[in-house]
Amino acid sequence: DAGVIQSPRHEVTEMGQEVTLRCKPISGHNSLFWYRQTMMRGLELLIYFNNNVPIDDSGMPEDRFSAKMPNASFSTLKIQPSEPRDSAVYFCASTMTAGSQPQHFGDGTRLSIL
Amino acid sequence: QKEVEQNSGPLSVPEGAIASLNCTYSDRVSQSFFWYRQYSGKSPELIMSIYSNGDKEDGRFTAQLNKASQYVSLLIRDSQPSDSATYLCAVVNTNAGKSTFGDGTTLTVKP
C-alpha cells in the first residue's frame, strides 16, 4: 500500500511568494494532520481534519497560513505571503481514527524561504 | 511547563547496552501513547504504542506506562548503532483527537 504522499519534497522560493504544499493521505484514513518541524520548536501541530472537516486549527501561526481538504484523498497547506521564518520541514500525517491509532507520516516537504 | 517533556539529550550508550528514554505528560485524560523514531532527514516512524498501565514488549523494545505518575518510557535492549536516532514521545487525548509530541531525545549508540 502507498503511504502518505507529499509534494513537493523540496521547495525554495523568495520571500513574499505563495507556497502550496500538497498531501495525499493513506486510503481509508479519516484523519489528516499538518505539522511543522524546526530545530528550535520541534514538531508542532498546525491543523487537523476529521472526515475532511477542520477540527483544530489553533496551531496555525497566523492568517498567512491556510489549509483545505476538499475530499478524502487530498489536502493543501498554503502560505501567502511567505516569510523566511516559515522555513521548516512540513509533514503531513494520516490515521484511521484520530486519538486511538498511530499516525503515518509522509516524507515531508523541506521549505526554504529566501 | 510543556505538555509533554522528554529527558534532555543527547543520550549516548555503548553498543549492546540498554538505552532508557523517558517521557512525562501533564494531561491526565491522555489515553494513547506512542513512541516514534526519526532518523536524521527522515520522517517519524512508529515503533511502539501502549494504551494500558504496565509493560509492553516488542523484540528489543519495551514500553512502560504509569498513568498515575503520568509517565511513559521506552527501553531499548542490546542497543545497536542502527538505533541511533531521535525518539519522539506522543501523547494523545482521545477526546480531542490530537497528538502532542515531546521535543525528542537524540540517542547515539557507539560501536
Side-chain angles (χ1 to χ4, degrees), chain B residues 26-39:
Chain B
S26 59
D27 187 351
R28 284 193 169 274
V29 301
S30 298
Q31 296 170 306
S32 304
F33 306 86
F34 304 101
W35 283 99
Y36 292 82
R37 176 177 62 200
Q38 186 175 23
Y39 291 115

Side-chain angles (χ1 to χ4, degrees), chain B residues 53-89:
Chain B
N53 282 329
D55 295 358
K56 178 181 178 182
E57 187 174 318
D58 183 0
R60 296 185 296 109
F61 298 94
T62 298
Q64 300 174 317
L65 175 61
N66 184 326
K67 291 185 179 181
S69 300
Q70 295 174 242
Y71 173 91
V72 58
S73 67
L74 180 71
L75 299 177
I76 307 174
R77 292 182 300 281
D78 188 23
S79 296
Q80 302 296 309
S82 59
D83 296 326
S84 299
T86 296
Y87 290 80
L88 299 166
C89 170

Side-chain angles (χ1 to χ4, degrees), chain B:
Chain B
Q1 181 186 5
K2 291 184 178 180
E3 293 182 51
V4 178
E5 297 207 42
Q6 296 186 236
N7 48 334
S8 59
L11 176 65
S12 180
V13 300
E15 184 174 356
I18 296 175
S20 177
L21 306 166
N22 303 315
C23 175
T24 58
Y25 59 94
S26 59
D27 187 351
R28 284 193 169 274
V29 301
S30 298
Q31 296 170 306
S32 304
F33 306 86
F34 304 101
W35 283 99
Y36 292 82
R37 176 177 62 200
Q38 186 175 23
Y39 291 115
S40 179
K42 302 294 186 181
S43 59
E45 57 177 336
L46 177 75
I47 53 172
M48 287 288 286
S49 59
I50 187 165
Y51 304 94
S52 305
N53 282 329
D55 295 358
K56 178 181 178 182
E57 187 174 318
D58 183 0
R60 296 185 296 109
F61 298 94
T62 298
Q64 300 174 317
L65 175 61
N66 184 326
K67 291 185 179 181
S69 300
Q70 295 174 242
Y71 173 91
V72 58
S73 67
L74 180 71
L75 299 177
I76 307 174
R77 292 182 300 281
D78 188 23
S79 296
Q80 302 296 309
S82 59
D83 296 326
S84 299
T86 296
Y87 290 80
L88 299 166
C89 170
V91 174
V92 185
N93 178 325
T94 304
N95 295 331
K98 65 179 184 180
S99 300
T100 301
F101 284 81
D103 289 339
T105 300
T106 299
L107 171 67
T108 301
V109 180
K110 296 186 175 181

Side-chain angles (χ1 to χ4, degrees), chain A residues 23-58:
Chain A
C23 176
K24 176 179 170 57
I26 293 173
S27 178
H29 282 193
N30 299 322
S31 298
L32 182 142
F33 303 79
W34 281 102
Y35 292 92
R36 176 173 68 177
Q37 188 174 42
T38 61
M39 289 292 291
M40 290 296 294
R41 300 175 68 88
L43 192 64
E44 303 174 276
L45 176 66
L46 300 177
I47 185 171
Y48 87 92
F49 296 83
N50 199 38
N51 293 322
N52 313 338
V53 176
I55 302 300
D56 186 343
D57 65 354
S58 59

